[in-house]
Amino acid sequence: MNRVETPIILVNFKTYAEATGENAVRLAEMAEKANVETGVCIGVAPQFSDIAIIAKKVNIPVFAQHIDPIKYGSFTGHILPESVKYAGAVGTLINHSERRLRLADIDAAVARAREVGLVSVVCTNNASVSASAAALKPDMIAVEPPELIGTGIPVSKAKPEVVTSTVEAVRKIDPEVTVLCGAGITSGEDVAAAIKLGTRGVLVASGIVKAKDPYKVMLEFAEAILRAQS
Amino acid sequence: MNRVETPIILVNFKTYAEATGENAVRLAEMAEKANVETGVCIGVAPQFSDIAIIAKKVNIPVFAQHIDPIKYGSFTGHILPESVKYAGAVGTLINHSERRLRLADIDAAVARAREVGLVSVVCTNNASVSASAAALKPDMIAVEPPELIGTGIPVSKAKPEVVTSTVEAVRKIDPEVTVLCGAGITSGEDVAAAIKLGTRGVLVASGIVKAKDPYKVMLEFAEAILRAQS
Amino acid sequence: MNRVETPIILVNFKTYAEATGENAVRLAEMAEKANVETGVCIGVAPQFSDIAIIAKKVNIPVFAQHIDPIKYGSFTGHILPESVKYAGAVGTLINHSERRLRLADIDAAVARAREVGLVSVVCTNNASVSASAAALKPDMIAVEPPELIGTGIPVSKAKPEVVTSTVEAVRKIDPEVTVLCGAGITSGEDVAAAIKLGTRGVLVASGIVKAKDPYKVMLEFAEAILRAQS
Amino acid sequence: MNRVETPIILVNFKTYAEATGENAVRLAEMAEKANVETGVCIGVAPQFSDIAIIAKKVNIPVFAQHIDPIKYGSFTGHILPESVKYAGAVGTLINHSERRLRLADIDAAVARAREVGLVSVVCTNNASVSASAAALKPDMIAVEPPELIGTGIPVSKAKPEVVTSTVEAVRKIDPEVTVLCGAGITSGEDVAAAIKLGTRGVLVASGIVKAKDPYKVMLEFAEAILRAQS
């Protein structure tokens, strides 16, 4: 994959009830509608067993939440990159704070994603880990201070220095790697702040999934991106 | 679930190329055909992202290869029991030798499987671990000496004492728990031996998935079960 | 080891500052003094690198906090049972809630402890996991509801049913296995309650290590045991 | 710690019988003697419970085989950096191939090592992981292709390109980070080759520990370093 130039809102469905099974499909359809409405790219990362049906129904990028650094073979209960690709995923999170991997496995997972043609988004917790991850040449890095995840306290406003130092550290290692940020993002203002700090977009979960009106929040996020760019 | 009285052949698809995506569907359809032909229950355990389509297409029990002991919530990259159930699974492997779990997590996973109505098959490596697992009251225990997995050296013939001591140990702890065995099972003879040692059936992977003619092997296994019972 | 008949107070030093290096030695000496004073067995479980010096200085049972289920060989950064035994440990915790192990590894660690002559104390979180652990035939089981650890809310008073159901479940599986309980134990009263619920003693950490006067608390615990027995 | 300028032979004792307890002390004494004889720095990495006695007996650098990225607190069975430092270690391996860590934990462990004044040696498996590790600013990186560890096939001769590409990749990220290499090193020739490829020395285990005459091999290694430098 070449450098990701378009801004993106990537919605992590986690294992939220509001984003499992039928609910996951509905949420993905909202994301597609918001994409059509605004032109802003909105990706979704549902659970593994929901990927196939969602990828069939919507025309937006679908991501896996994790892949294992494995090939075809004897790996019961693992996530084969080829398998999520076959189901329709175009990319994958790697090393999310709720699914941390060993360094050698992140290296191998990024390489496997590249091999099968999945966009790799390596999640990190600070600037030095982001620099470290950038050396592995993933497509994107999503920095999320774990202590802010799920709090509603936006990283882009509460810890802007984490975002700017990550953007700078990653650029020094490899300017081709795109930076997203996440944790506590709940309003268009938070998203705009993220863009202004030098990121290409946000990784968001509860801020959208657990919102009263997820569609409205998606629109608000997308419009904030459009304004921040202009 | 009440005690499992019917013999079962449970086919673990692992992440084999021959059992991923389209191939997984085809293999599940063969299993269904062999079930119709012989009346013997044949279950399949495909990868997570293949569960939904397989469960829709075939009328045989579909198992997940693993579940995490979690509830709805913030668990990126995890396997929510509700999610595989929604996709159409009726049961799940737990603690396969390629996906070992901590004891407290096996306990919690068995409990969660019970809660959402999934048949739990806890995999074990010897008689004492099988006894230990039986104390957690899963529906089934599948004992597989790891050193024989994938070798073609059948547990039921190379280590019959592992099977008989497991059957005995489990019965002592909880006679309601059904015992399967696996590892190296490749012929009807191996399956018949497993039944004669007191198990209700076999957990098998490469013996079927990597066979030249998987359907023929399924038939052979099913017929061996019928003969061993009569 | 034969069944443990004597009551025991087992003090887990964790990685507390008050129980590291010199402080660890001092604390172990207090335990020895309290043992001499009361006759009640008080064991200590210091960090690995403190075992040798403590075992040389005091004449009370020293436990490791963990062992890995390994033999001599290529295992960098692992805890070899022979190694802690050589340093002077007479027993070991296994599967503490802060160092949970996979089921097959608990089985192997208990077996290894037996082989090298270390008393095995398997930590558990509830009655069903305790039953499961008992099937592995360790010397002792220490049940500790994780949610009470370090809280000062004593398991023996807040969740007596966890303790009694554990004592009963373990006895059913193997009456030779001794039961301890832990979590939130801070007073002699809590210890007495534990004994009355059918345990042989307590596993305690912050209640003693972080006490203003650890020696006084040890004496109080020991005297409570003496009273509860009479 | 400033950049490590002196060449070093770092001997990982693993959990080898030949390097446990008394044997560990004897081996460390040999290393000290070889150091006195040749002037070449020879460090040893014994098991945790052997650190204190060895650090007291010999006047060469003693390393831990692992530290956990933790502070004083509730961490049963973990390796507190302060604890190994107190026992006399001056440095530590981190992320050995037999004790791989998650990326965020390597970052935190390197930071903790720096805080307490331990030299950090992060083990890696290839050039891209080495670059990634270098971004975390450890004192040293030891690259070891896992498939060669313990084989007697020396990385410096069988895969010189892994060594040179690592040296180059690390220099690009941070020229202050010293590079060692390891895996299959059994002769002075292998050590000389390692130095000529741009490393500061070797990480070695079985090549010395399991040698018939470990002292002789240490001398041979040290002399090879002296020759390679001149």
Side-chain angles (χ1 to χ4, degrees):
Chain A
M1 193 207 194
N2 298 331
R3 188 172 174 193
V4 182
E5 299 283 359
T6 354
I8 184 169
I9 296 164
L10 185 43
V11 189
N12 180 0
F13 284 12
K14 299 198 175 182
T15 59
Y16 289 131
E18 297 84 353
T20 296
E22 281 176 16
N23 291 343
V25 175
R26 203 156 36 227
L27 206 55
E29 287 171 337
M30 285 180 202
E32 184 184 40
K33 199 174 149 205
N35 164 250
V36 169
E37 184 104 352
T38 63
V40 172
C41 177
I42 304 180
V44 294
Q47 292 169 63
F48 306 111
S49 45
D50 290 329
I51 291 177
I53 185 165
I54 288 177
K56 217 166 284 169
K57 287 228 174 152
V58 299
N59 198 17
I60 53 172
V62 177
F63 284 71
Q65 293 180 10
H66 162 80
I67 55 170
D68 283 303
I70 58 164
K71 301 199 172 183
Y72 289 120
S74 293
F75 301 100
T76 300
H78 286 67
I79 308 301
L80 178 72
E82 279 83 353
S83 169
V84 298
K85 171 89 179 181
Y86 175 84
V90 301
T92 185
L93 300 182
I94 290 171
N95 194 46
H96 188 275
S97 77
E98 292 152 12
R99 195 74 170 80
R100 288 290 189 229
L101 299 183
R102 296 167 177 192
L103 172 53
D105 288 338
I106 301 177
D107 178 51
V110 168
R112 290 254 54 224
R114 202 178 295 129
E115 254 175 58
V116 306
L118 289 169
V119 174
S120 54
V121 182
V122 175
C123 300
T124 59
N125 53 319
N126 62 29
S128 79
V129 168
S130 299
S132 182
L136 305 174
K137 302 190 176 301
D139 295 306
M140 305 192 216
I141 281 173
V143 64
E144 300 188 294
E147 66 278 14
L148 298 182
I149 293 178
T151 58
I153 303 168
V155 60
S156 49
K157 297 176 82 179
K159 299 210 167 181
E161 74 284 0
V162 169
V163 180
T164 49
S165 63
T166 294
V167 168
E168 194 183 343
V170 169
R171 189 178 301 140
K172 236 184 249 170
I173 302 280
D174 186 346
E176 297 297 307
V177 178
T178 297
V179 177
L180 308 179
C181 72
I185 307 280
T186 52
S187 74
E189 211 184 323
D190 307 340
V191 175
I195 299 291
K196 279 172 189 154
L197 293 170
T199 69
R200 281 272 158 195
V202 293
L203 178 58
V204 58
S206 62
I208 284 179
V209 177
K210 294 199 153 269
K212 244 188 204 165
D213 185 345
Y215 177 63
K216 205 177 127 194
V217 178
M218 290 182 201
L219 277 187
E220 184 187 327
F221 280 24
E223 281 156 11
I225 283 189
L226 293 176
R227 272 198 309 278
Q229 284 187 302
S230 61
Chain B
M1 193 205 198
N2 297 330
R3 190 171 174 193
V4 182
E5 299 282 359
T6 354
I8 183 170
I9 297 165
L10 184 43
V11 190
N12 179 2
F13 283 13
K14 299 198 175 184
T15 59
Y16 289 131
E18 298 83 353
T20 297
E22 281 176 16
N23 291 342
V25 175
R26 202 156 36 227
L27 207 56
E29 287 171 337
M30 286 180 201
E32 185 184 39
K33 200 174 149 203
N35 163 252
V36 169
E37 186 105 351
T38 63
V40 172
C41 176
I42 305 180
V44 294
Q47 293 170 64
F48 306 112
S49 44
D50 290 329
I51 292 177
I53 186 165
I54 288 177
K56 217 166 282 171
K57 286 225 175 155
V58 300
N59 197 17
I60 54 173
V62 178
F63 283 71
Q65 292 180 10
H66 162 79
I67 54 169
D68 284 302
I70 57 164
K71 301 200 171 181
Y72 288 121
S74 294
F75 300 101
T76 300
H78 286 67
I79 308 302
L80 177 73
E82 279 84 352
S83 169
V84 298
K85 171 86 179 183
Y86 176 84
V90 302
T92 185
L93 301 182
I94 290 172
N95 193 47
H96 187 275
S97 77
E98 292 153 12
R99 194 75 170 81
R100 288 290 189 230
L101 299 184
R102 295 164 178 195
L103 172 54
D105 288 338
I106 300 176
D107 177 52
V110 168
R112 290 256 52 223
R114 202 178 295 129
E115 254 175 57
V116 307
L118 289 169
V119 174
S120 54
V121 182
V122 176
C123 299
T124 60
N125 53 319
N126 61 30
S128 79
V129 167
S130 299
S132 182
L136 304 174
K137 302 188 176 301
D139 296 304
M140 305 193 215
I141 281 173
V143 65
E144 301 188 294
E147 68 277 14
L148 297 183
I149 293 179
T151 59
I153 304 167
V155 61
S156 50
K157 299 176 78 179
K159 300 210 166 181
E161 73 285 1
V162 169
V163 180
T164 49
S165 64
T166 294
V167 168
E168 195 184 340
V170 169
R171 188 178 303 139
K172 236 187 248 170
I173 302 279
D174 186 346
E176 298 296 307
V177 177
T178 296
V179 177
L180 308 180
C181 72
I185 306 281
T186 52
S187 74
E189 210 184 323
D190 307 339
V191 176
I195 299 291
K196 278 172 191 154
L197 293 169
T199 70
R200 282 270 160 196
V202 294
L203 177 58
V204 59
S206 61
I208 284 179
V209 176
K210 296 199 153 270
K212 244 189 202 161
D213 185 343
Y215 177 64
K216 204 177 126 195
V217 179
M218 290 181 202
L219 277 187
E220 183 186 329
F221 280 24
E223 282 156 10
I225 282 188
L226 294 175
R227 272 198 309 278
Q229 283 187 301
S230 61
Chain C
M1 194 208 194
N2 297 331
R3 190 175 173 189
V4 182
E5 299 283 358
T6 355
I8 185 169
I9 297 165
L10 185 44
V11 189
N12 180 1
F13 283 13
K14 299 196 175 183
T15 59
Y16 289 131
E18 298 83 353
T20 297
E22 281 176 17
N23 291 343
V25 176
R26 203 158 34 229
L27 206 55
E29 288 172 337
M30 285 180 202
E32 184 185 40
K33 200 174 148 204
N35 163 252
V36 169
E37 185 103 351
T38 63
V40 173
C41 176
I42 305 182
V44 294
Q47 291 169 64
F48 306 111
S49 46
D50 290 329
I51 292 176
I53 186 165
I54 288 176
K56 217 166 285 171
K57 287 227 173 154
V58 300
N59 198 17
I60 54 173
V62 177
F63 284 70
Q65 292 179 11
H66 163 79
I67 55 170
D68 283 303
I70 58 165
K71 302 201 170 182
Y72 289 120
S74 293
F75 301 101
T76 301
H78 285 68
I79 308 301
L80 178 73
E82 279 83 351
S83 171
V84 299
K85 171 87 179 181
Y86 176 84
V90 302
T92 185
L93 301 182
I94 290 171
N95 194 46
H96 188 273
S97 79
E98 291 152 12
R99 195 74 170 82
R100 288 290 188 229
L101 299 183
R102 296 166 178 194
L103 172 54
D105 289 338
I106 301 176
D107 177 52
V110 168
R112 290 256 53 223
R114 202 180 293 129
E115 254 176 57
V116 307
L118 290 168
V119 174
S120 54
V121 182
V122 175
C123 300
T124 59
N125 54 318
N126 61 30
S128 78
V129 168
S130 300
S132 181
L136 305 174
K137 302 187 177 301
D139 296 304
M140 305 194 217
I141 282 172
V143 64
E144 301 188 294
E147 66 278 14
L148 297 182
I149 293 179
T151 58
I153 304 167
V155 60
S156 50
K157 298 177 79 180
K159 300 211 167 179
E161 75 285 359
V162 169
V163 180
T164 49
S165 64
T166 294
V167 168
E168 194 183 343
V170 169
R171 188 177 303 139
K172 237 186 248 170
I173 302 279
D174 186 346
E176 297 297 306
V177 178
T178 296
V179 177
L180 308 181
C181 71
I185 306 281
T186 52
S187 74
E189 211 183 325
D190 306 340
V191 175
I195 299 292
K196 278 171 190 155
L197 294 170
T199 71
R200 281 271 160 194
V202 293
L203 177 58
V204 59
S206 61
I208 283 179
V209 177
K210 295 199 153 268
K212 246 192 202 160
D213 185 344
Y215 178 63
K216 206 178 125 194
V217 179
M218 289 181 201
L219 277 187
E220 184 187 328
F221 280 25
E223 281 156 12
I225 282 189
L226 293 176
R227 270 199 309 280
Q229 284 188 300
S230 63
Chain D
M1 190 203 196
N2 297 329
R3 188 172 175 192
V4 181
E5 299 282 359
T6 353
I8 184 169
I9 296 164
L10 185 43
V11 189
N12 179 2
F13 284 12
K14 299 196 175 184
T15 59
Y16 289 131
E18 299 83 352
T20 296
E22 281 176 16
N23 291 343
V25 175
R26 202 156 37 228
L27 206 56
E29 287 171 338
M30 285 179 200
E32 184 184 40
K33 199 174 150 204
N35 163 251
V36 168
E37 184 104 352
T38 62
V40 172
C41 177
I42 305 180
V44 294
Q47 292 170 64
F48 306 111
S49 45
D50 290 329
I51 291 176
I53 186 164
I54 288 177
K56 216 167 284 170
K57 288 226 172 153
V58 300
N59 198 17
I60 53 172
V62 177
F63 284 70
Q65 292 179 11
H66 163 79
I67 55 170
D68 283 302
I70 57 163
K71 302 199 169 180
Y72 288 120
S74 294
F75 301 101
T76 300
H78 285 68
I79 308 302
L80 179 72
E82 280 83 352
S83 170
V84 298
K85 170 88 179 182
Y86 176 85
V90 302
T92 185
L93 300 183
I94 290 172
N95 194 45
H96 188 274
S97 77
E98 291 153 13
R99 195 73 169 83
R100 289 290 190 230
L101 299 183
R102 297 169 176 189
L103 172 53
D105 288 338
I106 300 176
D107 177 52
V110 168
R112 290 256 53 223
R114 202 179 294 130
E115 255 175 55
V116 306
L118 290 168
V119 174
S120 54
V121 183
V122 176
C123 300
T124 59
N125 54 318
N126 61 30
S128 77
V129 167
S130 300
S132 181
L136 305 174
K137 304 188 175 302
D139 295 306
M140 305 193 217
I141 280 172
V143 64
E144 300 188 295
E147 66 278 14
L148 298 181
I149 294 179
T151 58
I153 304 168
V155 61
S156 49
K157 298 177 79 181
K159 300 211 167 180
E161 74 286 358
V162 169
V163 180
T164 49
S165 64
T166 294
V167 168
E168 193 183 343
V170 169
R171 189 178 301 138
K172 237 185 247 170
I173 302 278
D174 186 346
E176 298 297 305
V177 177
T178 296
V179 177
L180 309 179
C181 72
I185 307 281
T186 52
S187 74
E189 210 183 326
D190 306 339
V191 176
I195 299 291
K196 279 173 189 152
L197 293 171
T199 70
R200 283 269 159 194
V202 294
L203 177 59
V204 57
S206 61
I208 284 180
V209 176
K210 295 199 152 271
K212 246 190 202 159
D213 185 343
Y215 177 65
K216 204 178 129 194
V217 179
M218 289 182 203
L219 277 186
E220 184 188 328
F221 280 25
E223 283 155 9
I225 282 189
L226 293 175
R227 272 198 310 279
Q229 283 188 302
S230 61

